[in-house]
Amino acid sequence: TTAQIGVTGLAVMGANLARNFARNGYTVALHNRTKARTDQLVADHGSEGDFVPTETLEEFVAALERPRRVLIMVKAGDPVDAVIDEITPLLEAGDIVIDGGNSQYTDTRRREASLSELGLHFVGIGVSGGEEGALNGPSIMPGGSAESYRSLGPMLEKISAHVGDDPCCAWIGTDGAGHFVKMVHNGIEYADMQLIGEAHDLLRSVAGIEPEEQSGIFADWNTGDLASFLIEITAEVLAHRDAATGKPFIDVVVDSAGQKGTGRWTVASALDLGSPASGIAESVFARALSSQRDQREEARNVLSGPEPAGEADESFVDDVRQALYASKLVSYAQGFDIIVRGADEYGWDLNLSEIASLWRGGCIIRADLLDVIRRAYRDQRPANLLFAPEFADAIAKAAPAWRRVVAAAVQSGVPVPAFSASLAYYDALRRDRLPAALTQGLRDLFGAHTYQREDAEGTFHTMWGQDKREVRQ
Ligand code: NBP
Protein backbone atom coordinates (compact mmCIF):
# COMPACT_ATOMS: atom_id res chain seq x y z
CA THR A 1 0.00 0.00 0.00
CA THR A 2 1.11 3.51 -0.58
CA ALA A 3 -0.28 6.21 1.61
CA GLN A 4 -1.13 9.68 0.34
CA ILE A 5 -0.13 11.27 3.61
CA GLY A 6 1.78 10.28 6.71
CA VAL A 7 1.28 11.66 10.20
CA THR A 8 4.05 11.45 12.77
CA GLY A 9 3.13 12.52 16.30
CA LEU A 10 -0.11 10.86 17.31
CA ALA A 11 -1.09 12.67 20.48
CA VAL A 12 -4.58 14.11 20.39
CA MET A 13 -4.09 16.55 17.50
CA GLY A 14 -2.10 14.23 15.26
CA ALA A 15 -4.43 11.28 15.91
CA ASN A 16 -7.51 13.34 15.13
CA LEU A 17 -6.05 14.82 11.94
CA ALA A 18 -5.00 11.32 10.83
CA ARG A 19 -8.55 10.07 11.41
CA ASN A 20 -9.95 13.09 9.57
CA PHE A 21 -7.78 12.30 6.51
CA ALA A 22 -8.78 8.62 6.67
CA ARG A 23 -12.47 9.43 7.02
CA ASN A 24 -12.13 11.54 3.89
CA GLY A 25 -10.89 8.56 1.93
CA TYR A 26 -7.12 9.05 2.12
CA THR A 27 -4.73 6.28 3.05
CA VAL A 28 -2.76 7.49 6.05
CA ALA A 29 0.61 6.20 7.23
CA LEU A 30 0.98 6.45 11.00
CA HIS A 31 4.07 6.95 13.13
CA ASN A 32 4.79 7.98 16.68
CA ARG A 33 8.03 8.02 18.67
CA THR A 34 6.39 5.75 21.22
CA LYS A 35 4.79 2.93 19.28
CA ALA A 36 2.05 2.37 21.87
CA ARG A 37 0.20 5.48 20.64
CA THR A 38 0.17 4.16 17.09
CA ASP A 39 -1.21 0.83 18.27
CA GLN A 40 -3.81 2.54 20.39
CA LEU A 41 -5.02 4.62 17.47
CA VAL A 42 -5.36 1.59 15.23
CA ALA A 43 -7.07 -0.41 17.99
CA ASP A 44 -9.59 2.34 18.74
CA HIS A 45 -10.24 3.77 15.30
CA GLY A 46 -8.67 1.47 12.73
CA SER A 47 -12.05 0.75 11.20
CA GLU A 48 -12.64 4.39 10.26
CA GLY A 49 -10.46 4.20 7.15
CA ASP A 50 -7.20 3.01 5.61
CA PHE A 51 -4.30 3.30 8.02
CA VAL A 52 -0.77 2.03 7.54
CA PRO A 53 0.76 1.76 11.01
CA THR A 54 4.56 1.81 11.06
CA GLU A 55 7.17 1.42 13.74
CA THR A 56 10.31 3.06 12.38
CA LEU A 57 10.70 6.27 10.42
CA GLU A 58 12.22 4.22 7.57
CA GLU A 59 9.05 2.11 7.33
CA PHE A 60 6.96 5.25 7.62
CA VAL A 61 8.74 6.99 4.76
CA ALA A 62 8.64 3.83 2.63
CA ALA A 63 4.86 3.68 3.02
CA LEU A 64 4.32 7.05 1.31
CA GLU A 65 3.57 7.79 -2.34
CA ARG A 66 5.80 10.39 -4.00
CA PRO A 67 6.14 13.25 -3.65
CA ARG A 68 5.84 12.29 -0.01
CA ARG A 69 3.64 14.31 2.29
CA VAL A 70 4.75 14.06 5.91
CA LEU A 71 2.71 15.83 8.55
CA ILE A 72 4.57 16.42 11.81
CA MET A 73 2.25 16.89 14.81
CA VAL A 74 4.61 16.90 17.76
CA LYS A 75 5.04 19.38 20.57
CA ALA A 76 6.05 22.80 19.26
CA GLY A 77 9.67 23.87 19.72
CA ASP A 78 12.70 21.56 19.88
CA PRO A 79 10.72 18.34 19.17
CA VAL A 80 9.83 19.68 15.71
CA ASP A 81 13.53 20.24 14.90
CA ALA A 82 14.37 16.81 16.30
CA VAL A 83 11.83 15.11 14.03
CA ILE A 84 12.92 17.18 11.01
CA ASP A 85 16.55 16.22 11.61
CA GLU A 86 15.64 12.55 11.84
CA ILE A 87 13.39 12.40 8.84
CA THR A 88 15.03 14.66 6.24
CA PRO A 89 17.90 12.23 5.45
CA LEU A 90 15.21 9.69 4.47
CA LEU A 91 13.43 12.04 2.06
CA GLU A 92 14.02 13.05 -1.57
CA ALA A 93 13.86 16.31 -3.45
CA GLY A 94 10.29 17.42 -4.02
CA ASP A 95 8.93 15.79 -0.86
CA ILE A 96 6.79 17.93 1.42
CA VAL A 97 7.39 18.24 5.14
CA ILE A 98 4.48 19.80 6.99
CA ASP A 99 4.49 21.18 10.52
CA GLY A 100 0.91 21.39 11.79
CA GLY A 101 1.76 22.38 15.37
CA ASN A 102 1.60 25.80 16.98
CA SER A 103 5.08 26.76 15.89
CA GLN A 104 6.44 30.25 16.03
CA TYR A 105 6.47 31.73 12.53
CA THR A 106 10.12 32.72 12.94
CA ASP A 107 10.99 29.04 13.47
CA THR A 108 8.94 28.16 10.39
CA ARG A 109 10.86 30.70 8.32
CA ARG A 110 14.15 29.26 9.54
CA ARG A 111 13.08 25.66 8.85
CA GLU A 112 11.70 26.53 5.42
CA ALA A 113 14.98 28.17 4.45
CA SER A 114 17.07 25.21 5.55
CA LEU A 115 14.82 22.54 3.99
CA SER A 116 14.56 24.37 0.70
CA GLU A 117 18.35 24.10 0.43
CA LEU A 118 17.84 20.33 0.44
CA GLY A 119 15.22 20.60 -2.31
CA LEU A 120 12.44 19.82 0.16
CA HIS A 121 9.24 21.79 0.57
CA PHE A 122 8.53 22.89 4.10
CA VAL A 123 4.95 23.88 4.83
CA GLY A 124 3.98 25.44 8.17
CA ILE A 125 0.26 25.11 8.69
CA GLY A 126 -1.73 26.84 11.37
CA VAL A 127 -4.52 24.58 12.55
CA SER A 128 -7.31 26.01 14.68
CA GLY A 129 -10.31 24.37 16.26
CA GLY A 130 -8.76 22.26 19.00
CA GLU A 131 -9.23 18.50 19.18
CA GLU A 132 -12.78 18.63 17.93
CA GLY A 133 -11.83 20.71 14.91
CA ALA A 134 -8.88 18.47 14.05
CA LEU A 135 -11.26 15.53 13.86
CA ASN A 136 -14.29 17.08 12.21
CA GLY A 137 -12.90 19.98 10.24
CA PRO A 138 -10.47 22.64 11.44
CA SER A 139 -9.65 26.01 9.99
CA ILE A 140 -6.32 25.57 8.21
CA MET A 141 -3.75 28.27 7.40
CA PRO A 142 -0.97 26.83 5.23
CA GLY A 143 2.22 28.69 4.45
CA GLY A 144 4.95 27.48 2.10
CA SER A 145 5.73 27.32 -1.58
CA ALA A 146 2.82 27.74 -3.99
CA GLU A 147 4.06 24.60 -5.73
CA SER A 148 3.66 22.46 -2.62
CA TYR A 149 0.14 23.79 -2.16
CA ARG A 150 -0.86 22.42 -5.55
CA SER A 151 -0.11 18.92 -4.29
CA LEU A 152 -1.18 19.35 -0.69
CA GLY A 153 -3.91 21.98 -0.88
CA PRO A 154 -6.76 19.81 -2.18
CA MET A 155 -6.25 17.33 0.67
CA LEU A 156 -6.16 20.06 3.29
CA GLU A 157 -9.21 21.73 1.81
CA LYS A 158 -11.07 18.46 1.90
CA ILE A 159 -10.47 17.83 5.62
CA SER A 160 -11.04 21.46 6.64
CA ALA A 161 -14.27 22.92 7.96
CA HIS A 162 -16.61 24.24 5.31
CA VAL A 163 -18.97 27.21 5.27
CA GLY A 164 -21.46 26.37 2.57
CA ASP A 165 -19.22 25.07 -0.20
CA ASP A 166 -16.21 27.16 0.81
CA PRO A 167 -13.38 25.30 2.55
CA CYS A 168 -11.92 27.02 5.61
CA CYS A 169 -8.46 26.55 4.13
CA ALA A 170 -6.57 28.57 1.56
CA TRP A 171 -2.93 29.08 0.76
CA ILE A 172 -1.81 32.02 2.88
CA GLY A 173 1.66 32.83 1.58
CA THR A 174 5.27 31.70 1.57
CA ASP A 175 7.34 30.32 4.47
CA GLY A 176 5.98 31.43 7.88
CA ALA A 177 2.85 33.20 6.60
CA GLY A 178 0.47 30.45 7.72
CA HIS A 179 1.84 30.26 11.24
CA PHE A 180 1.95 34.06 11.43
CA VAL A 181 -1.73 34.34 10.54
CA LYS A 182 -2.59 31.53 12.98
CA MET A 183 -0.68 33.41 15.68
CA VAL A 184 -2.72 36.55 15.04
CA HIS A 185 -5.89 34.43 15.06
CA ASN A 186 -4.94 33.39 18.58
CA GLY A 187 -4.25 36.99 19.58
CA ILE A 188 -7.73 37.93 18.42
CA GLU A 189 -9.05 34.91 20.33
CA TYR A 190 -7.43 36.27 23.52
CA ALA A 191 -9.11 39.64 22.91
CA ASP A 192 -12.49 38.06 22.14
CA MET A 193 -12.39 36.14 25.40
CA GLN A 194 -11.19 39.07 27.49
CA LEU A 195 -13.94 41.28 26.06
CA ILE A 196 -16.55 38.63 26.86
CA GLY A 197 -15.08 38.38 30.36
CA GLU A 198 -15.34 42.13 30.86
CA ALA A 199 -18.95 42.14 29.63
CA HIS A 200 -19.75 39.33 32.05
CA ASP A 201 -18.05 41.15 34.94
CA LEU A 202 -19.95 44.36 34.19
CA LEU A 203 -23.28 42.55 34.00
CA ARG A 204 -22.62 40.93 37.34
CA SER A 205 -20.81 43.64 39.30
CA VAL A 206 -22.37 46.80 37.95
CA ALA A 207 -25.83 45.44 37.07
CA GLY A 208 -26.14 42.60 39.61
CA ILE A 209 -27.14 39.94 37.08
CA GLU A 210 -26.36 36.40 38.19
CA PRO A 211 -24.60 33.89 35.88
CA GLU A 212 -27.68 31.86 35.01
CA GLU A 213 -29.61 34.92 33.91
CA GLN A 214 -26.54 36.13 32.03
CA SER A 215 -26.53 32.85 30.16
CA GLY A 216 -29.88 33.86 28.65
CA ILE A 217 -28.49 37.28 27.76
CA PHE A 218 -25.50 35.80 25.93
CA ALA A 219 -27.76 33.28 24.18
CA ASP A 220 -29.86 36.23 23.03
CA TRP A 221 -26.76 38.16 21.87
CA ASN A 222 -25.79 35.09 19.90
CA THR A 223 -28.77 35.67 17.62
CA GLY A 224 -27.51 39.11 16.50
CA ASP A 225 -24.33 40.90 15.36
CA LEU A 226 -22.28 39.11 18.01
CA ALA A 227 -23.25 35.60 16.84
CA SER A 228 -20.14 33.46 17.28
CA PHE A 229 -18.81 30.25 18.74
CA LEU A 230 -17.31 32.00 21.78
CA ILE A 231 -20.56 33.81 22.66
CA GLU A 232 -22.45 30.54 22.24
CA ILE A 233 -20.19 28.63 24.62
CA THR A 234 -20.20 31.55 27.07
CA ALA A 235 -23.94 30.97 27.45
CA GLU A 236 -23.23 27.30 28.09
CA VAL A 237 -20.49 27.85 30.68
CA LEU A 238 -22.50 30.51 32.54
CA ALA A 239 -25.54 28.22 32.76
CA HIS A 240 -23.52 25.38 34.25
CA ARG A 241 -23.85 24.59 37.97
CA ASP A 242 -21.16 22.78 39.90
CA ALA A 243 -22.46 19.34 40.89
CA ALA A 244 -20.50 19.21 44.17
CA THR A 245 -21.58 22.55 45.61
CA GLY A 246 -24.63 23.55 43.59
CA LYS A 247 -22.94 26.92 42.95
CA PRO A 248 -22.53 28.50 39.54
CA PHE A 249 -19.58 26.70 37.93
CA ILE A 250 -17.64 29.94 37.40
CA ASP A 251 -17.77 30.65 41.15
CA VAL A 252 -15.79 27.51 41.98
CA VAL A 253 -13.11 27.97 39.31
CA VAL A 254 -9.83 29.71 40.23
CA ASP A 255 -9.87 33.14 38.61
CA SER A 256 -6.41 33.14 37.05
CA ALA A 257 -6.21 32.33 33.36
CA GLY A 258 -3.44 30.30 31.78
CA GLN A 259 -1.68 30.86 28.47
CA LYS A 260 0.51 28.84 26.20
CA GLY A 261 2.29 31.63 24.36
CA THR A 262 0.56 32.53 21.12
CA GLY A 263 -1.09 35.63 22.62
CA ARG A 264 2.25 36.78 23.94
CA TRP A 265 3.88 36.15 20.55
CA THR A 266 1.17 38.18 18.84
CA VAL A 267 1.80 41.15 21.09
CA ALA A 268 5.60 40.80 20.84
CA SER A 269 5.25 40.75 17.04
CA ALA A 270 2.95 43.77 17.16
CA LEU A 271 5.58 45.63 19.19
CA ASP A 272 8.33 44.63 16.76
CA LEU A 273 6.23 45.67 13.77
CA GLY A 274 5.06 48.95 15.34
CA SER A 275 1.41 47.88 15.20
CA PRO A 276 -0.71 49.44 17.99
CA ALA A 277 -2.52 46.26 19.07
CA SER A 278 -3.51 47.72 22.43
CA GLY A 279 -6.72 45.73 23.00
CA ILE A 280 -5.00 42.45 22.22
CA ALA A 281 -2.07 43.43 24.45
CA GLU A 282 -4.37 44.30 27.36
CA SER A 283 -5.99 40.89 26.97
CA VAL A 284 -2.66 39.16 27.37
CA PHE A 285 -1.72 41.41 30.31
CA ALA A 286 -5.11 40.73 31.93
CA ARG A 287 -4.27 37.03 32.07
CA ALA A 288 -0.86 37.82 33.52
CA LEU A 289 -2.40 40.05 36.20
CA SER A 290 -5.01 37.43 37.03
CA SER A 291 -2.17 34.99 37.71
CA GLN A 292 -0.43 37.27 40.23
CA ARG A 293 -2.53 35.85 43.04
CA ASP A 294 -0.23 36.88 45.89
CA GLN A 295 -0.16 40.51 44.83
CA ARG A 296 -3.90 40.50 44.26
CA GLU A 297 -4.48 39.21 47.77
CA GLU A 298 -2.24 41.84 49.34
CA ALA A 299 -3.80 44.54 47.18
CA ARG A 300 -7.23 43.79 48.59
CA ASN A 301 -5.91 44.91 52.01
CA VAL A 302 -3.71 47.77 50.87
CA LEU A 303 -5.42 49.46 47.93
CA SER A 304 -8.85 51.04 48.13
CA GLY A 305 -11.50 52.15 45.68
CA PRO A 306 -15.22 52.14 45.00
CA GLU A 307 -17.30 48.98 45.20
CA PRO A 308 -19.76 48.42 42.34
CA ALA A 309 -23.39 48.89 43.33
CA GLY A 310 -24.83 45.82 41.66
CA GLU A 311 -27.78 47.68 40.22
CA ALA A 312 -28.14 49.47 36.94
CA ASP A 313 -30.82 50.71 34.56
CA GLU A 314 -32.31 48.13 32.28
CA SER A 315 -30.69 49.87 29.32
CA PHE A 316 -27.26 48.94 30.71
CA VAL A 317 -27.45 45.41 29.34
CA ASP A 318 -27.85 46.60 25.79
CA ASP A 319 -25.15 49.22 26.33
CA VAL A 320 -22.77 46.42 27.29
CA ARG A 321 -23.73 44.50 24.16
CA GLN A 322 -22.89 47.51 22.00
CA ALA A 323 -19.64 48.17 23.85
CA LEU A 324 -18.68 44.54 23.32
CA TYR A 325 -19.42 44.72 19.62
CA ALA A 326 -17.48 47.96 19.12
CA SER A 327 -14.50 46.67 21.10
CA LYS A 328 -14.58 43.43 19.15
CA LEU A 329 -14.42 45.37 15.88
CA VAL A 330 -11.35 47.16 17.21
CA SER A 331 -9.62 43.90 18.12
CA TYR A 332 -10.20 42.56 14.60
CA ALA A 333 -8.98 45.86 13.13
CA GLN A 334 -5.86 45.58 15.29
CA GLY A 335 -5.32 41.93 14.36
CA PHE A 336 -5.55 42.71 10.64
CA ASP A 337 -3.17 45.63 11.11
CA ILE A 338 -0.58 43.23 12.54
CA ILE A 339 -1.13 40.98 9.52
CA VAL A 340 -0.72 43.86 7.06
CA ARG A 341 2.49 44.99 8.74
CA GLY A 342 3.82 41.44 8.91
CA ALA A 343 3.12 41.04 5.21
CA ASP A 344 5.08 44.24 4.48
CA GLU A 345 7.96 43.13 6.64
CA TYR A 346 8.26 39.59 5.28
CA GLY A 347 7.19 40.18 1.69
CA TRP A 348 3.98 38.14 1.83
CA ASP A 349 1.20 38.93 -0.60
CA LEU A 350 -1.69 38.17 1.71
CA ASN A 351 -5.35 38.10 0.75
CA LEU A 352 -7.18 39.58 3.74
CA SER A 353 -10.60 38.65 2.41
CA GLU A 354 -9.55 35.02 2.13
CA ILE A 355 -8.11 35.06 5.65
CA ALA A 356 -11.41 36.38 7.04
CA SER A 357 -13.19 33.77 4.95
CA LEU A 358 -11.28 30.80 6.33
CA TRP A 359 -11.83 31.98 9.89
CA ARG A 360 -15.59 31.74 9.36
CA GLY A 361 -15.68 28.07 10.28
CA GLY A 362 -13.74 25.46 12.23
CA CYS A 363 -11.70 27.84 14.36
CA ILE A 364 -12.27 29.28 17.81
CA ILE A 365 -12.98 32.85 16.63
CA ARG A 366 -15.57 31.77 14.04
CA ALA A 367 -18.27 34.41 13.95
CA ASP A 368 -20.89 35.87 11.65
CA LEU A 369 -18.87 39.09 11.76
CA LEU A 370 -16.13 37.41 9.73
CA ASP A 371 -18.41 37.17 6.74
CA VAL A 372 -18.91 40.93 6.88
CA ILE A 373 -15.13 41.38 7.16
CA ARG A 374 -14.61 39.00 4.23
CA ARG A 375 -16.88 41.13 2.05
CA ALA A 376 -15.36 44.40 3.27
CA TYR A 377 -11.87 43.27 2.24
CA ARG A 378 -13.13 41.76 -0.98
CA ASP A 379 -14.95 44.86 -2.21
CA GLN A 380 -12.53 47.51 -0.95
CA ARG A 381 -9.15 47.57 0.67
CA PRO A 382 -9.59 49.85 3.67
CA ALA A 383 -6.31 50.92 5.26
CA ASN A 384 -7.97 50.07 8.56
CA LEU A 385 -10.88 47.67 8.91
CA LEU A 386 -12.81 50.35 10.81
CA PHE A 387 -12.76 52.54 7.68
CA ALA A 388 -14.99 50.12 5.74
CA PRO A 389 -18.29 52.04 5.58
CA GLU A 390 -20.35 49.32 7.28
CA PHE A 391 -17.93 49.23 10.23
CA ALA A 392 -17.45 52.99 10.46
CA ASP A 393 -21.26 53.27 10.70
CA ALA A 394 -21.64 50.42 13.16
CA ILE A 395 -18.99 51.74 15.51
CA ALA A 396 -20.36 55.29 15.35
CA LYS A 397 -23.78 53.93 16.35
CA ALA A 398 -22.31 51.93 19.21
CA ALA A 399 -20.00 54.68 20.46
CA PRO A 400 -22.38 56.46 22.88
CA ALA A 401 -23.20 53.17 24.65
CA TRP A 402 -19.50 52.21 24.56
CA ARG A 403 -18.57 55.48 26.34
CA ARG A 404 -21.35 55.07 28.94
CA VAL A 405 -20.16 51.54 29.73
CA VAL A 406 -16.48 52.46 30.06
CA ALA A 407 -17.42 55.48 32.19
CA ALA A 408 -19.65 53.35 34.44
CA ALA A 409 -16.91 50.76 34.79
CA VAL A 410 -14.35 53.38 35.77
CA GLN A 411 -16.77 54.98 38.26
CA SER A 412 -17.53 51.61 39.80
CA GLY A 413 -13.94 50.47 40.05
CA VAL A 414 -14.47 47.54 37.68
CA PRO A 415 -11.45 46.98 35.41
CA VAL A 416 -12.26 46.90 31.70
CA PRO A 417 -8.77 47.07 30.19
CA ALA A 418 -9.76 45.73 26.77
CA PHE A 419 -12.98 47.77 26.47
CA SER A 420 -11.18 50.96 27.45
CA ALA A 421 -8.02 50.31 25.41
CA SER A 422 -10.19 49.65 22.36
CA LEU A 423 -12.12 52.86 22.90
CA ALA A 424 -8.86 54.77 23.37
CA TYR A 425 -7.57 53.32 20.10
CA TYR A 426 -10.72 54.49 18.32
CA ASP A 427 -10.47 57.97 19.81
CA ALA A 428 -6.74 58.25 19.19
CA LEU A 429 -7.18 57.31 15.54
CA ARG A 430 -9.81 59.95 14.91
CA ARG A 431 -8.18 62.77 16.93
CA ASP A 432 -6.93 65.67 14.82
CA ARG A 433 -3.98 66.42 17.11
CA LEU A 434 -2.27 63.94 19.40
CA PRO A 435 -0.02 64.85 22.33
CA ALA A 436 2.80 63.15 20.43
CA ALA A 437 3.75 66.69 19.37
CA LEU A 438 4.68 67.46 22.97
CA THR A 439 6.57 64.14 23.16
CA GLN A 440 8.59 65.28 20.15
CA GLY A 441 9.31 68.60 21.87
CA LEU A 442 10.51 66.83 25.00
CA ARG A 443 12.67 64.43 23.02
CA ASP A 444 14.21 67.33 21.14
CA LEU A 445 14.94 69.20 24.38
CA PHE A 446 16.56 66.38 26.33
CA GLY A 447 18.16 64.42 23.52
CA ALA A 448 18.28 66.63 20.41
CA HIS A 449 16.16 63.97 18.70
CA THR A 450 14.83 66.60 16.22
CA TYR A 451 11.28 66.99 14.89
CA GLN A 452 9.29 67.73 11.76
CA ARG A 453 7.04 70.76 11.29
CA GLU A 454 3.47 70.64 10.00
CA ASP A 455 4.13 73.64 7.79
CA ALA A 456 7.55 72.96 6.27
CA GLU A 457 9.60 70.13 4.83
CA GLY A 458 12.72 68.97 6.60
CA THR A 459 14.01 68.10 10.04
CA PHE A 460 14.42 70.70 12.77
CA HIS A 461 16.04 71.20 16.14
CA THR A 462 15.54 74.00 18.64
CA MET A 463 18.61 75.27 20.54
CA TRP A 464 16.83 74.78 23.88
CA GLY A 465 19.81 75.46 26.14
CA GLN A 466 20.86 78.61 24.26
CA ASP A 467 18.72 81.19 22.52
CA LYS A 468 15.92 78.77 21.47
CA ARG A 469 16.67 79.50 17.86
CA GLU A 470 15.34 76.83 15.46
CA VAL A 471 17.84 75.26 13.09
CA ARG A 472 17.08 73.13 10.07
CA GLN A 473 19.12 69.89 10.21
P1 NBP B 1 1.68 17.54 22.29
O1 NBP B 1 2.02 18.94 22.05
O2 NBP B 1 1.29 17.13 23.67
O3 NBP B 1 2.94 16.63 21.84
C1 NBP B 1 2.95 15.23 22.05
C2 NBP B 1 3.53 14.53 20.84
O4 NBP B 1 4.85 15.00 20.56
C3 NBP B 1 3.63 13.04 21.08
O5 NBP B 1 3.31 12.38 19.90
C4 NBP B 1 5.10 12.88 21.45
O6 NBP B 1 5.58 11.58 21.21
C5 NBP B 1 5.71 13.84 20.49
N1 NBP B 1 7.12 14.19 20.78
C6 NBP B 1 7.66 14.94 21.76
BR1 NBP B 1 6.72 15.68 23.13
N2 NBP B 1 8.99 15.07 21.68
C7 NBP B 1 9.34 14.36 20.59
C8 NBP B 1 10.58 14.10 19.96
N3 NBP B 1 11.73 14.63 20.44
N4 NBP B 1 10.59 13.31 18.87
C9 NBP B 1 9.46 12.77 18.40
N5 NBP B 1 8.23 13.00 18.94
C10 NBP B 1 8.18 13.79 20.02
O7 NBP B 1 0.56 17.05 21.26
P2 NBP B 1 -0.83 17.74 20.85
O8 NBP B 1 -1.56 18.30 22.03
O9 NBP B 1 -1.50 16.75 19.97
O10 NBP B 1 -0.38 19.00 19.97
C11 NBP B 1 0.41 18.88 18.81
C12 NBP B 1 0.64 20.26 18.25
O11 NBP B 1 -0.60 20.84 17.89
C13 NBP B 1 1.29 21.23 19.23
O12 NBP B 1 2.14 22.10 18.53
C14 NBP B 1 0.14 22.01 19.76
O13 NBP B 1 0.49 23.28 20.25
C15 NBP B 1 -0.73 22.10 18.52
N6 NBP B 1 -2.14 22.35 18.77
C16 NBP B 1 -2.79 21.75 19.79
C17 NBP B 1 -4.15 22.01 19.98
C18 NBP B 1 -4.90 21.33 21.08
O14 NBP B 1 -6.09 21.63 21.23
N7 NBP B 1 -4.29 20.41 21.82
C19 NBP B 1 -4.81 22.87 19.13
C20 NBP B 1 -4.14 23.45 18.10
C21 NBP B 1 -2.80 23.18 17.92
P3 NBP B 1 5.50 10.46 22.37
O15 NBP B 1 4.12 9.88 22.27
O16 NBP B 1 6.55 9.48 21.99
O17 NBP B 1 5.76 11.13 23.67
Side-chain angles (χ1 to χ4, degrees):
T1 2
T2 50
Q4 284 123 323
I5 187 146
V7 182
T8 179
L10 299 173
V12 56
M13 292 297 287
N16 282 358
L17 284 172
R19 291 169 63 195
N20 189 348
F21 278 114
R23 288 173 174 193
N24 277 287
Y26 297 109
T27 302
V28 186
L30 301 175
H31 178 269
N32 192 69
R33 177 178 62 177
T34 314
K35 172 87 177 352
R37 275 199 208 271
T38 313
D39 297 339
Q40 193 68 47
L41 176 57
V42 174
D44 294 344
H45 304 287
S47 61
E48 291 174 13
D50 292 333
F51 295 105
V52 185
T54 65
E55 188 160 0
T56 64
L57 274 180
E58 286 77 7
E59 279 177 55
F60 176 64
V61 166
L64 296 169
E65 74 174 25
R66 290 204 249 158
R68 300 182 182 87
R69 301 179 197 91
V70 175
L71 173 58
I72 302 173
M73 284 307 292
V74 301
K75 204 177 176 68
D78 294 340
V80 176
D81 288 308
V83 174
I84 289 174
D85 289 346
E86 267 183 90
I87 204 163
T88 45
L90 308 174
L91 299 175
E92 289 167 291
D95 287 350
I96 304 169
V97 178
I98 309 142
D99 171 19
N102 266 337
S103 294
Q104 233 167 331
Y105 73 95
T106 44
D107 285 336
T108 304
R109 285 170 56 78
R110 166 178 60 77
R111 290 167 184 148
E112 198 277 334
S114 83
L115 265 67
S116 74
E117 279 178 23
L118 304 172
L120 298 171
H121 296 286
F122 186 74
V123 176
I125 65 172
V127 179
S128 177
E131 301 175 26
E132 169 78 19
L135 183 62
N136 297 316
S139 174
I140 306 181
M141 291 146 262
S145 67
E147 187 191 338
S148 62
Y149 194 75
R150 277 193 286 280
S151 157
L152 184 65
M155 297 178 68
L156 295 178
E157 289 179 14
K158 197 155 179 199
I159 69 153
S160 76
H162 283 71
V163 173
D165 290 334
D166 300 340
C168 294
C169 171
W171 182 64
I172 302 283
T174 53
D175 57 75
H179 276 136
F180 185 86
V181 167
K182 167 67 181 1
M183 174 192 77
V184 175
H185 161 284
N186 284 30
I188 294 173
E189 177 185 313
Y190 272 60
D192 263 350
M193 283 197 274
Q194 174 64 23
L195 293 169
I196 288 172
E198 291 177 14
H200 153 70
D201 194 4
L202 287 164
L203 291 180
R204 196 163 197 195
S205 311
V206 176
I209 302 171
E210 290 303 302
E212 255 164 27
E213 192 184 340
Q214 284 193 29
S215 170
I217 292 171
F218 278 94
D220 178 45
W221 289 357
N222 197 39
T223 62
D225 287 346
L226 283 168
S228 61
F229 171 67
L230 283 169
I231 295 283
E232 179 193 325
I233 64 172
T234 298
E236 190 179 336
V237 172
L238 289 173
H240 185 53
R241 274 190 180 270
D242 174 50
T245 59
K247 290 185 184 165
F249 167 76
I250 52 159
D251 287 345
V252 301
V253 175
V254 172
D255 64 344
S256 51
Q259 48 177 309
K260 289 206 286 191
T262 43
R264 182 161 38 85
W265 296 346
T266 308
V267 176
S269 302
L271 289 170
D272 288 343
L273 294 164
S275 180
S278 52
I280 296 174
E282 287 292 354
S283 306
V284 179
F285 288 141
R287 290 200 194 181
L289 193 149
S290 77
S291 298
Q292 295 193 330
R293 292 180 63 80
D294 290 349
Q295 279 196 41
R296 288 174 55 203
E297 194 179 328
E298 193 173 342
R300 283 196 286 278
N301 300 321
V302 179
L303 306 177
S304 61
E307 286 300 323
E311 53 184 34
D313 293 345
E314 223 167 273
S315 61
F316 187 70
V317 173
D318 197 62
D319 278 2
V320 172
R321 179 187 64 79
Q322 295 188 60
L324 176 54
Y325 185 68
S327 304
K328 184 179 164 89
L329 286 181
V330 167
S331 67
Y332 280 73
Q334 293 183 348
F336 276 100
D337 189 68
I338 300 172
I339 290 176
V340 167
R341 280 161 201 272
D344 278 353
E345 174 75 17
Y346 299 110
W348 298 319
D349 181 18
L350 304 185
N351 182 331
L352 302 182
S353 178
E354 219 158 59
I355 291 168
S357 176
L358 64 86
W359 285 346
R360 287 179 304 161
C363 64
I364 306 298
I365 66 169
R366 60 188 184 262
D368 286 7
L369 172 65
L370 281 159
D371 198 50
V372 191
I373 297 177
R374 175 184 70 88
R375 281 185 270 120
Y377 278 126
R378 183 194 61 195
D379 302 339
Q380 326 140 41
R381 193 170 166 133
N384 183 303
L385 183 65
L386 301 180
F387 301 166
E390 55 271 55
F391 293 133
D393 286 353
I395 210 160
K397 278 204 195 91
W402 198 10
R403 295 181 193 289
R404 283 194 294 274
V405 166
V406 171
V410 171
Q411 288 288 348
S412 316
V414 175
V416 285
F419 272 28
S420 54
S422 304
L423 179 54
Y425 173 87
Y426 174 73
D427 282 333
L429 264 182
R430 43 170 219 94
R431 205 84 206 284
D432 63 339
R433 293 283 294 162
L434 289 171
L438 175 57
T439 308
Q440 288 300 82
L442 300 177
R443 293 178 70 237
D444 190 57
L445 187 149
F446 69 66
H449 289 297
T450 73
Y451 52 89
Q452 269 87 42
R453 296 184 58 101
E454 295 282 8
D455 56 0
E457 292 288 310
T459 301
F460 299 87
H461 170 58
T462 290
M463 309 298 286
W464 294 100
Q466 301 164 28
D467 56 0
K468 299 196 171 44
R469 195 167 35 89
E470 182 173 78
V471 289
R472 190 188 285 263
Q473 296 290 298

